Amino acid sequence: MHIVIRPSAEAAAFLAAEAIAQALRANPGIVLGLATGRTMESVYARLVYLHLEENLDFSACHTFNLDEYVGLSRLNRNSYRYYMHEHLFRHVNINLQNTHLPDGEATDLDAECLNYERLIAKCGGIDLQLLGIGQNGHLGFNEPQSPFHSRTRVETLSDATISQNSPLFLRPGQMPKRAITMGLGSIFDCRQCILIATGNQKAEIIFRTLEGPITNLIPATILQKHRKCLIILDEIAAGLLKKNNHHESGQALQPISL
Ligand code: GLP
C-alpha cells in the first residue's frame, strides 16, 4: 500500500481524479471500476472538469460499478445508476453502452451476479478500481464477515450501513435492505486500486484498516495484501495513524505512483 495524505478533502479528491486521468490518458481503453458515495462526488466533479477543460477522453473506456441497491430502478434518484449518470456519465463523452452496473431489478438476482462477473472477465478484468470505505470497513457493500474470496452476490446490509446511507433517501425507511455487490475476491483481482477516505467519521476505520490486523471483520483490511493500492486521505481521516510510512500533506507525487 502506498499512503498519501493531502491537506484537505478537496485536495484528496483532486489527487484521486488526477491519478485516474493519468491512467486514462495512458490507456484510453482502460477498464475502470467505479464507486459511489459522498466522497466520490468531488472526484467525479474534478474528472468532469478535466474532460471539459483538458479534453480528458472517456470515449473508449469501460466502467464497472461496485454495487447497486436491490429493487431500485435506474430512474430512482437513490439508485447508483442514477448517481453515476448525474455525477459523471452525462457530463463526459463516455459511451453509455460501455458503462456497467449490476441490475438491482433483475428477476433472477443470482443469474445477474454471475453475468456481471462474466462481463468483467469478458472485458479483460478491471485495470483500476476506485474505492470508498464504509464506517464499518465495508468495500462496495461487502459487510463485515464477507469472505475474502467472495464474488459478485446479493448482500444483506448491516444496521451500520443502513444508518450511514439512509439519510441520503428522502424517507430513510425507503432504503433497500439488500444490494448486489462485487465480492472482495472480485475487487482484489483488479490490477490497481485507489481508496479515498476523508473526514472525521473515517479516521477510526482508516486506522484499523491500514494499521490493524487483516481480518474479514473489517473487509477493507484485505487491501493490505493488494499488489498495487494507493490510499489517498485527507489530514483528518489520517488523524489516528501512528506509523510513519506515508507521504505527508503537501508533498506532491510526480508522477503519481500506485
Ligand atoms: C456506500 C457504497 C460504498 C462507499 C460508501 C462510502 O456504502 N456502497 O462503496 O464506499 O458508500 O460512502 P461515503 O463516501 O458517503 O462515506
Side-chain angles (χ1 to χ4, degrees):
M1 283 187 308
H2 187 99
I3 303 170
V4 182
I5 302 170
R6 305 301 282 165
S8 64
E10 190 188 34
F14 271 36
L15 183 64
E18 192 45 54
I20 296 166
Q22 211 172 82
L24 185 55
R25 286 188 200 106
N27 175 12
I30 195 170
V31 180
L32 292 172
L34 298 178
T36 52
R38 288 158 276 217
T39 314
M40 296 305 153
E41 291 177 14
S42 21
V43 178
Y44 295 138
R46 184 66 182 170
L47 284 174
V48 170
Y49 172 88
L50 292 175
H51 168 68
L52 297 174
E53 297 299 320
E54 297 179 16
N55 296 322
L56 184 64
D57 182 12
F58 290 82
S59 63
C61 77
H62 293 251
T63 67
F64 286 91
N65 266 76
L66 284 168
D67 45 18
E68 180 60 283
Y69 288 111
V70 166
L72 295 194
S73 100
R74 53 172 51 217
L75 299 176
N76 186 304
R77 299 181 71 85
N78 289 111
S79 74
Y80 285 162
R81 168 58 80 175
Y82 190 96
Y83 171 107
M84 289 311 303
H85 202 69
E86 281 306 298
H87 291 287
L88 183 67
F89 297 160
R90 77 184 177 93
H91 304 287
V92 298
N93 65 336
I94 202 161
N95 178 351
L96 288 178
Q97 308 263 21
N98 293 343
T99 65
H100 306 282
L101 285 93
D103 178 3
E105 285 198 304
T107 40
D108 185 340
L109 292 171
D110 290 338
E112 171 62 15
C113 294
L114 212 58
N115 190 41
Y116 203 63
E117 286 281 335
R118 284 200 189 116
L119 213 53
I120 294 172
K122 205 173 144 195
C123 274
I126 291 173
D127 293 308
L128 176 56
Q129 176 69 57
L130 186 59
L131 295 165
I133 187 169
Q135 285 167 41
N136 63 356
H138 73 218
L139 292 180
F141 273 130
N142 289 280
E143 298 287 28
Q145 298 194 39
S146 294
F148 281 162
H149 62 263
S150 52
R151 311 304 303 187
T152 302
R153 67 196 189 291
V154 176
E155 176 78 315
T156 299
L157 303 177
S158 67
D159 291 345
T161 295
I162 290 171
S163 59
Q164 191 189 319
N165 288 7
S166 59
L168 298 171
F169 287 71
L170 199 56
R171 293 199 194 89
Q174 288 174 335
M175 178 175 160
K177 306 288 181 287
R178 294 186 306 156
I180 295 180
T181 181
M182 271 158 70
L184 292 175
S186 333
I187 294 169
F188 195 76
D189 282 350
C190 69
R191 293 180 189 93
Q192 304 180 356
C193 59
I194 299 176
L195 180 136
I196 169 166
T198 58
N200 193 32
Q201 287 175 324
K202 300 289 169 72
E204 172 75 25
I205 195 62
I206 280 299
F207 166 64
R208 296 172 72 186
T209 295
L210 304 185
E211 297 188 1
I214 298 174
T215 164
N216 70 349
L217 295 177
I218 300 177
T221 57
I222 193 177
L223 297 178
Q224 290 185 29
K225 296 197 289 185
H226 196 276
R227 52 193 159 156
K228 241 182 174 185
C229 181
L230 175 63
I231 310 281
I232 302 177
L233 309 171
D234 68 352
E235 280 177 359
I236 299 175
L240 298 177
L241 293 181
K242 295 184 173 51
K243 292 184 186 160
N244 192 16
N245 59 349
H246 40 260
H247 290 257
E248 292 298 341
S249 58
Q251 197 174 329
L253 286 180
Q254 289 296 342
I256 296 158
S257 61
L258 284 172

